[in-house]
Amino acid sequence: MASESSDRNSGDPRYLPESVTTTVKILIVGHFAVGKTTLVGTLSEIAPLRTEETMTQAGADIDNLQGVQGKTTTTVAMDFGRRTLSDSLVLYLFGTPGQNRFVQWWQDLARGALGALVLVDPARLGESFAVMDLVETYGIPYTIAVNHFDGANEHAEGEIREALDLLPETPVVFCDPRNEQSSLESLVVLVEYLQKITG
């Protein structure tokens, strides 16, 4: 029987290489149906953990499906994935549920998080304020990732900044959560921002 040490040396993706010296907890947050589960799944180098359940009629009066009528499932706890950025740095990605009734999860998920990638839908920017308030309440530095939904209206960065009342230093990036390179670039912007503000 192979030992855990030999598994690590064989390149088994379940294990981190011995060169990894830093692991960081990152939150992937945003309002309901903005693409968090997709983003975590696209970025994760391991099979992502998902806690999605089928939406039922019981939630019809609670979950606003305007603009996302094709959505049939929702995250009820969290999504989890892992992404190696370098030989020494690995990110653990925690996707939060987007509905207000799951806010109780935030306290646990936010504990120990170094930063957050706030995913926003340019057609539903007003729904982002509650999520941004939570991130700020827990003192988590964040960047904004604007999701390019199919057929979504284009907004300039300045319009996004003004609509969300962002500080000048808060990074804003545009991404497609279905595209690995685009999603990875958004994650790298967050990491670079965290390095800048933490020295």
Side-chain angles (χ1 to χ4, degrees):
M1 181 177 212
S3 68
E4 180 175 315
S5 177
S6 64
D7 284 339
R8 284 175 178 266
N9 294 332
S10 69
D12 188 326
R14 295 174 299 171
Y15 299 101
L16 295 178
E18 292 180 3
S19 62
V20 173
T21 57
T22 305
T23 58
V24 175
K25 181 179 184 179
I26 298 292
L27 298 184
I28 308 296
V29 304
H31 57 73
F32 172 65
V34 74
K36 301 178 297 293
T37 297
T38 300
L39 185 74
V40 172
T42 297
L43 284 169
S44 185
E45 64 197 13
I46 58 173
L49 168 69
R50 292 189 171 122
T51 58
E52 286 199 303
E53 294 293 336
T54 301
M55 297 177 68
T56 66
Q57 190 60 36
D61 295 331
I62 302 171
D63 299 327
N64 181 4
L65 292 176
Q66 185 175 354
V68 291
Q69 287 82 358
K71 187 169 177 61
T72 60
T73 61
T74 187
T75 300
V76 296
M78 68 174 184
D79 299 307
F80 174 77
R82 188 185 79 201
R83 184 70 188 216
T84 300
L85 283 192
S86 71
D87 289 342
S88 61
L89 175 62
V90 167
L91 306 182
Y92 290 113
L93 310 173
F94 290 80
T96 63
Q99 298 99 312
N100 287 337
R101 67 183 183 276
F102 296 121
V103 165
Q104 68 271 14
W105 283 98
W106 271 82
Q107 185 171 1
D108 290 330
L109 289 176
R111 188 174 292 119
L114 191 62
L117 188 64
V118 180
L119 197 59
V120 303
D121 176 353
R124 299 182 292 151
L125 289 175
E127 295 182 34
S128 300
F129 287 113
V131 173
M132 292 170 63
D133 284 346
L134 280 170
V135 173
E136 291 173 356
T137 295
Y138 288 107
I140 303 170
Y142 63 90
T143 62
I144 300 293
V146 182
N147 188 344
H148 276 286
F149 282 88
D150 292 332
N153 292 330
E154 294 290 328
H155 292 277
E157 179 181 330
E159 294 175 310
I160 299 290
R161 287 185 171 282
E162 183 176 356
L164 296 178
D165 193 26
L166 299 176
L167 295 173
E169 62 269 21
T170 303
V172 174
V173 294
F174 294 82
C175 78
D176 181 345
R178 302 163 298 184
N179 180 280
E180 183 177 8
Q181 187 59 38
S182 177
S183 298
L184 183 57
E185 288 170 2
S186 299
L187 197 59
V188 168
V189 168
L190 171 61
V191 170
E192 290 175 344
Y193 176 61
L194 294 175
Q195 289 174 332
K196 178 180 177 182
I197 64 175
T198 59

